[in-house]
Amino acid sequence: MKILVLNSGSSSLKYQLFEMPNEQPLCSGLVDRIGLEGSTITHKNLKSGKEEKFLIETPIQDHEAGLLKVTELLKDTEKGSISDNSEIEAIGHRVVHGGEQFASTTLITEVVKAKIKELFALAPLHNPPNYLGITVAERIFPNAKQVAVFDTAFHQSMPPLAYRYAVPKEMYSQLGIRAYGFHGTSHQYVSKKALKYLQNPNAKIISIHLGNGCSMTAIDSGKSIDTSMGLGPMGGLIMGTRAGDIDPSIIFHLINERGYSSKEVNEILNKKSGLLGLSGFSDMRDVKKAIEEGNKDAKLAYQLYAYRIQKYIGSFTAVLKGLDAIVFTAGIGENDPDMRAEVCKGMDFFGIQLDLLLNSQKTQTIREVNQKGSPVKILVIPTNEELEIGQQTFEIVRK
């Protein structure tokens, strides 16, 4: 069965085509700058185990035009892997916010689409383009089963102690104000890999997803019991441009005393804070380069980023009442050994003991970077959200 995975953003469209159930990737790519000048498609094709990469520069007016271009590439005799649209039996869509309505992957119906629209207010930057990707895919692949995989679903196992806020209860019951958590697809994927590696289905794990967006999850026996992000994807850890946890009184001070509008404050906390606000750079590679050049702001940003992660390791270890492993994943978590060392520094009393030599080595597979005999395993596991979406889509449609 061929399954297409789509991750639709406001001006981008990530895609990957899998042959299931053997999980063989056939094609993947990114449609970038949709509706903007300089639109491009980066397309990768796997033939005979070799990856071929193509860069196509072409105007792409909207998501429908983008998906049509992707369909052309998938059917191209040189670049593609199918001969007709009908070969794709199912499409798995990443949907960021599923609220309390969706605790698992689900087949998309008109009722499901209506509920996704109702959740626009909880994820205004993400759910609208996710929804748009669904409607476009329905038109281009009318015979394929459409499946929604929600970022928030993995965290629906959290108990009320973890997801409730200390606000009037009608805000929860009537307005849905609670912690939902995000990056669930990534946390679920790497935690499954970790449990298998540890050969312990009841292991207590802290998953640390560090990319441009960052989050951590406390996982007990494969279930999320707490996570760093809340109602939206802005809380918790310091991120590329997001502030993470702050005192809410800062928001009211800026609005009531300093004359900022709520829109301006939202823009600052979402797009002008985090590493960017602290150092002037949103990309961790640029932050590290600036540190090498003696930039004190960049050094503070790097240390503060790690410090916040350490605080969550402490709190989540308390929530789990023990710890068997921590898992580093996503772009920074997988590829920045210095950040892993900064996070693990001085954490011996938690049983977290990093082996600097193992930590400095690079592989593309799951690896252990802790000292021999360390009470807590330190694992680096490459995430693959697209494969997780493909797996969950396959499980739904084959029933």
Side-chain angles (χ1 to χ4, degrees):
M1 181 187 296
K2 289 185 174 67
I3 291 178
L4 179 63
V5 172
L6 295 179
N7 181 354
S8 184
S10 57
S11 61
S12 65
L13 180 66
K14 287 176 68 176
Y15 62 93
Q16 193 155 354
L17 181 65
F18 291 98
E19 181 71 55
M20 301 298 279
N22 62 9
E23 302 178 357
Q24 176 65 40
L26 303 174
C27 295
S28 66
L30 170 67
V31 185
D32 202 14
R33 298 183 62 80
I34 295 173
L36 304 171
E37 289 186 15
S39 304
T40 61
I41 303 176
T42 304
H43 179 80
K44 296 177 183 178
N45 184 39
L46 290 169
K47 285 186 176 178
S48 304
K50 293 182 179 180
E51 182 181 281
E52 295 179 297
K53 187 175 179 179
F54 305 90
L55 178 64
I56 300 103
E57 298 180 4
T58 180
I60 301 170
Q61 183 177 352
D62 53 31
H63 284 73
E64 183 158 12
L67 191 52
L68 284 169
K69 288 285 187 182
V70 169
T71 307
E72 290 175 13
L73 288 167
L74 294 178
K75 293 191 290 187
D76 187 277
T77 53
E78 177 191 2
K79 305 179 181 71
S81 298
I82 62 172
S83 56
D84 188 79
N85 289 15
S86 62
E87 290 183 44
I88 295 175
E89 295 183 52
I91 300 177
H93 297 268
R94 180 198 182 205
V95 181
V96 166
H97 217 307
E100 287 190 320
Q101 292 94 323
F102 300 105
S104 61
T105 297
T106 185
L107 280 171
I108 295 172
T109 63
E110 290 303 315
V111 172
V112 170
K113 285 164 61 180
K115 288 182 177 178
I116 292 172
K117 284 190 77 172
E118 289 174 12
L119 294 165
F120 278 10
L122 292 180
L125 300 178
H126 300 89
N127 269 35
N130 297 160
Y131 179 88
L132 180 60
I134 292 168
T135 58
V136 168
E138 286 176 329
R139 290 196 294 271
I140 296 175
F141 299 94
N143 298 321
K145 292 181 178 179
Q146 310 288 334
V147 176
V149 180
F150 299 92
D151 267 12
T152 50
F154 181 57
H155 302 299
Q156 283 296 300
S157 55
M158 291 193 300
L161 282 174
Y163 70 71
R164 286 292 296 273
Y165 292 121
V167 296
K169 65 179 183 180
E170 58 268 21
M171 288 188 172
Y172 166 64
S173 59
Q174 298 175 21
L175 304 179
I177 303 298
R178 52 156 286 180
Y180 291 97
F182 298 88
H183 295 142
T185 307
S186 175
H187 289 297
Q188 185 172 11
Y189 178 82
V190 298
S191 63
K192 287 194 299 186
K193 290 285 186 181
L195 292 176
K196 185 176 181 181
Y197 178 85
L198 296 168
Q199 297 182 321
N200 179 6
N202 300 313
K204 299 175 186 292
I205 296 168
I206 297 174
S207 173
I208 308 170
H209 177 108
L210 304 177
N212 190 49
C214 304
S215 66
M216 291 171 61
T217 299
I219 300 165
D220 192 350
S221 305
K223 293 185 180 296
S224 169
I225 63 168
D226 206 343
T227 193
S228 60
M229 285 179 167
L231 176 74
M234 188 166 58
L237 303 178
I238 292 168
M239 305 177 222
T241 63
R242 297 178 209 160
D245 288 343
I246 64 163
D247 179 350
S249 63
I250 294 170
I251 298 170
F252 302 108
H253 175 77
L254 290 173
I255 293 172
N256 298 328
E257 305 299 329
R258 299 297 179 180
Y260 287 83
S261 68
S262 60
K263 184 178 180 182
E264 287 172 328
V265 174
N266 184 60
E267 179 84 5
I268 290 167
L269 296 179
N270 257 313
K271 298 183 179 179
K272 297 180 180 180
S273 297
L275 291 175
L276 179 64
L278 289 166
S279 71
F281 307 100
S282 63
D283 191 302
M284 187 62 82
R285 291 167 293 189
D286 295 328
V287 173
K288 292 184 72 176
K289 184 179 178 183
I291 292 172
E292 292 171 3
E293 296 169 352
N295 187 315
K296 292 182 179 179
D297 290 336
K299 185 176 181 180
L300 175 63
Y302 199 79
Q303 292 173 331
L304 195 55
Y305 184 97
Y307 177 75
R308 187 70 60 81
I309 296 168
Q310 289 180 324
K311 286 178 70 173
Y312 269 96
I313 289 175
S315 64
F316 282 173
T317 300
V319 166
L320 288 164
K321 297 177 176 60
L323 185 61
D324 295 303
I326 61 172
V327 176
F328 288 95
T329 193
I332 297 168
E334 295 168 27
N335 300 306
D336 190 342
D338 297 329
M339 178 51 68
R340 293 195 296 267
E342 188 75 18
V343 169
C344 295
K345 186 169 65 178
M347 301 288 276
D348 297 58
F349 58 93
F350 278 120
I352 297 171
Q353 300 166 355
L354 187 73
D355 185 306
L356 293 175
L357 180 60
L358 290 176
N359 184 50
S360 66
Q361 298 170 356
K362 288 188 176 182
T363 65
Q364 297 301 311
T365 57
I366 183 170
R367 66 191 189 278
E368 196 174 308
V369 297
N370 50 273
Q371 295 176 21
K372 188 176 181 181
S374 171
V376 173
K377 299 291 187 186
I378 305 171
L379 305 177
V380 180
I381 304 180
T383 192
N384 192 332
E385 294 170 275
E386 285 78 18
L387 177 56
E388 179 67 29
I389 293 170
Q391 290 170 335
Q392 292 190 31
T393 299
F394 177 71
E395 290 300 318
I396 285 285
V397 299
R398 75 171 181 171
K399 291 178 182 178

